[in-house]
Amino acid sequence: MIGRLFGKLIEKTPPQIVIDVGGVGYSLDVSMQPSYQLPALSEHVQLYTQLVVREDTYLLFGFFTAADRSTFRQFVQ
């Protein structure tokens, strides 16, 4: 599982963002509230992540705190 990402923010179209980590662009969904806390493009950002696997897709969600991710996990189980 991908637990955390640290890299450059290269795309910001909330609720989706893209973070470049070592040349690989990870697309994440973030809630609208945290999206206002995101840095400017090309700046570094760190997000905790949760991968949700569904029958027809894989979704990667990003969170600013581990506590937020933990709360999210309670709802997706």
Side-chain angles (χ1 to χ4, degrees):
M1 170 156 86
I2 302 167
R4 180 183 64 87
L5 291 174
F6 177 78
K8 283 188 182 180
L9 183 62
I10 59 171
E11 213 173 295
K12 183 165 55 168
T13 53
Q16 294 185 331
I17 63 170
V18 178
I19 299 176
D20 182 293
V21 180
V24 177
Y26 290 89
S27 178
L28 295 95
D29 287 319
V30 294
S31 71
M32 293 302 289
Q33 179 72 15
S35 68
Y36 296 111
Q37 300 172 20
L38 290 168
L41 293 178
S42 297
E43 290 189 21
H44 283 92
V45 64
Q46 172 180 288
L47 293 175
Y48 294 92
T49 62
Q50 177 66 44
L51 178 64
V52 175
V53 179
R54 296 195 178 144
E55 188 174 308
D56 59 343
T57 189
Y58 287 72
L59 299 169
L60 190 59
F61 292 92
F63 306 92
F64 281 98
T65 68
D68 288 342
R69 179 181 60 186
S70 179
T71 301
F72 178 81
R73 285 177 173 170
Q74 292 176 10
F75 289 105
V76 294
Q77 289 184 352

